[in-house]
Amino acid sequence: MSEPALKRQKRVLSGVQPSGSLTIGNYVGALKQWAREQYNFESFFCVVDLHAVTVPYNPAELREKTREVAALYLACGIDPAVSTVFVQSHVPAHSELAWLLNCITPLGWLYRMTQFKDKAARQQADSVGTGLLDYPVLMAADILLYQADAVPVGDDQRQHLELTRDIAQRFNHLFGETFTIPEAMIPPAGARIKGLDNPLVKMSKSLTESEYHAVYLLDPPDRIKKKIMRAVTDSGREICFSDDPEKAGVNNLLEIYEAFTDQPRDAIEAHFAQARGYGDLKKEVAEVVIAALQPIQQRYRELTSEKGFIDELLAQGAERASAVAEATLRRARENMGFLMPPG
Ligand code: TYM
């Protein structure tokens, strides 16, 4: 009697753009979940460099940031013995599947994306690249190539995930079952950390107008403390979670505390009930952030001091990722009716 077919382990895929220095928003919204979930899923984590060129950028900086982001994945707890870590452009299947998916994605779906509208509004209308509009199709290709069941991301990627599902469903409907329909995996705490200088906007690695906007993962402790102590709050004293836009600054600090300590909200509010004012709250938030980043920074320094280590790891990752991606791409091409090359 033949053995029952082995059910494959569920997969996750996610990525970060090397478009700036990673922030604590990227950490609690994405990387912290990845490090936890890698033991429950077969995991693929890529540095999405092809996405980073959709807005104006500096080539030398792109190269440097691509290595830096990969090293930070490991420093934040991604274990390369368990997860596949690679650079998106090292696996050409991403670009090729993106083209195939382009041809079944209505333009109207792309014009509706809020991230496209926001990013396009920050540039001169006549210099917005086609790649910026097409960005979510490439993201769909990233996810669908690995037949990912779940995609751990922050709240700002929810709409892109919905679009990925729509594209996958449309493809499967037109050409037969080809892609797994993925689910977004959004963390219960820290899914949308706001700017310290403006708690009404998302903390972003690419907004660099104010040096007090974001805490970066590689910031030294004194800078972290200074940034958090200067965070915008309100003129009140009450320290509690709140949806009131007036209290957005305090709420953001509490959400950072929640995401870094994994404590329930009522325990956090009880803890701060005795505080003398927002200064106490800021001091404690700075302490938990500094304590959590200290081992990450230490590990980052170790990893980057070994010359060639990251490049070697990325070469192995690209090989592992390609094997999976190529198999899916082949199936997509066959199902779309392309004549397969001989051999
Ligand atoms: P990116 O590079 O903007 O952000 C990387 C991850 O960090 C999360 N994130 C946040 N979470 C909480 N609070 C914040 N302030 C915050 N800022 C960012 C993002 O939600 C994301 O999970 N389009 C993606 C990159 C991408 C991708 C993919 C992701 C390309 N292909 C395939 C998943 C799967 C992006 O721009 O992320």
Side-chain angles (χ1 to χ4, degrees):
M1 214 170 76
S2 65
E3 293 278 316
L6 267 183
K7 227 175 143 248
R8 87 165 160 80
Q9 199 187 2
K10 294 227 178 224
R11 287 207 185 121
V12 303
L13 173 126
S14 199
V16 174
Q17 293 188 70
S19 54
S21 301
L22 297 205
T23 72
I24 54 170
N26 298 128
Y27 178 64
V28 297
L31 291 155
K32 192 172 172 225
Q33 292 201 83
W34 302 0
R36 195 183 51 236
E37 296 300 338
Q38 68 184 332
Y39 301 108
N40 303 323
F41 291 84
E42 182 185 357
S43 304
F44 295 86
F45 299 119
C46 63
V47 182
V48 291
D49 54 349
L50 295 169
H51 279 105
V53 302
T54 56
V55 290
Y57 74 100
N58 171 309
E61 225 168 85
L62 176 67
R63 232 180 328 266
E64 184 193 314
K65 289 289 172 196
T66 301
R67 278 203 191 94
E68 180 180 303
V69 171
L72 276 170
Y73 284 5
L74 304 198
C76 288
I78 302 305
D79 179 352
V82 173
S83 303
T84 301
V85 174
F86 67 102
V87 175
Q88 184 190 32
S89 69
H90 293 177
V91 181
H94 290 246
S95 309
E96 189 173 343
L97 182 63
W99 176 258
L100 303 184
L101 299 179
N102 271 334
C103 298
I104 62 143
T105 304
L107 266 178
W109 290 6
L110 301 180
Y111 281 122
R112 273 203 293 277
M113 295 293 109
T114 54
Q115 236 174 48
F116 167 70
K117 290 190 237 178
D118 289 350
K119 288 191 183 175
R122 279 189 238 136
Q123 291 180 52
Q124 291 212 310
D126 58 0
S127 65
V128 174
T130 307
L132 191 62
L133 179 67
D134 202 27
Y135 177 115
V137 180
L138 178 61
M139 179 162 163
D142 298 339
I143 297 166
L144 301 180
L145 272 178
Y146 298 87
Q147 307 286 5
D149 300 277
V151 183
V153 281
D155 189 60
D156 62 325
Q157 298 301 317
R158 213 182 267 279
Q159 195 185 29
H160 287 157
L161 252 295
E162 277 306 311
L163 182 86
T164 300
R165 291 167 58 87
D166 289 344
I167 293 174
Q169 267 152 359
R170 190 175 172 101
F171 191 104
N172 288 351
H173 174 74
L174 290 169
F175 303 115
E177 271 316 296
T178 309
F179 298 121
T180 303
I181 310 297
E183 303 270 352
M185 185 192 268
I186 313 266
R192 190 178 275 267
I193 300 299
K194 306 290 176 41
L196 296 174
D197 60 333
N198 177 1
L200 299 176
V201 305
K202 184 188 78 167
M203 181 181 284
S204 157
K205 60 174 133 58
S206 48
L207 287 185
T208 50
E209 287 99 70
S210 158
E211 59 174 311
Y212 296 101
H213 170 71
V215 170
Y216 300 115
L217 297 188
L218 296 176
D219 272 347
D222 55 337
R223 198 169 312 151
I224 298 176
K225 181 144 190 211
K226 202 158 155 201
K227 286 177 175 178
I228 294 177
M229 294 310 289
R230 287 189 51 152
V232 169
T233 49
D234 56 89
S235 56
R237 299 179 54 87
E238 217 195 340
I239 301 178
C240 54
F241 289 93
S242 158
D243 293 335
D244 179 355
E246 286 284 312
K247 306 281 293 177
V250 167
N251 186 69
N252 190 39
L253 290 168
L254 285 169
E255 287 198 15
I256 294 171
Y257 189 87
E258 180 190 22
F260 274 91
T261 62
D262 294 314
Q263 285 177 28
R265 289 191 167 196
D266 50 358
I268 295 173
E269 287 179 340
H271 174 73
F272 285 112
Q274 308 305 325
R276 276 163 306 162
Y278 294 158
D280 284 0
L281 167 67
K282 289 176 173 178
K283 227 170 107 225
E284 286 207 43
V285 171
E287 276 165 19
V288 297
V289 172
I290 291 168
L293 296 191
Q294 196 266 334
I296 292 175
Q297 296 182 355
Q298 171 68 27
R299 178 118 181 83
Y300 177 82
R301 281 191 292 269
E302 287 163 15
L303 287 163
T304 48
S305 68
E306 278 181 62
K307 232 185 147 359
F309 176 76
I310 295 294
D311 288 0
E312 173 61 27
L313 190 111
L314 291 173
Q316 289 167 11
E319 208 173 298
R320 263 158 53 186
S322 288
V324 177
E326 285 295 334
T328 307
L329 178 63
R330 193 180 162 84
R331 185 152 135 209
R333 289 169 50 154
E334 262 178 336
N335 291 355
M336 281 182 88
F338 288 100
L339 180 65
M340 300 311 278

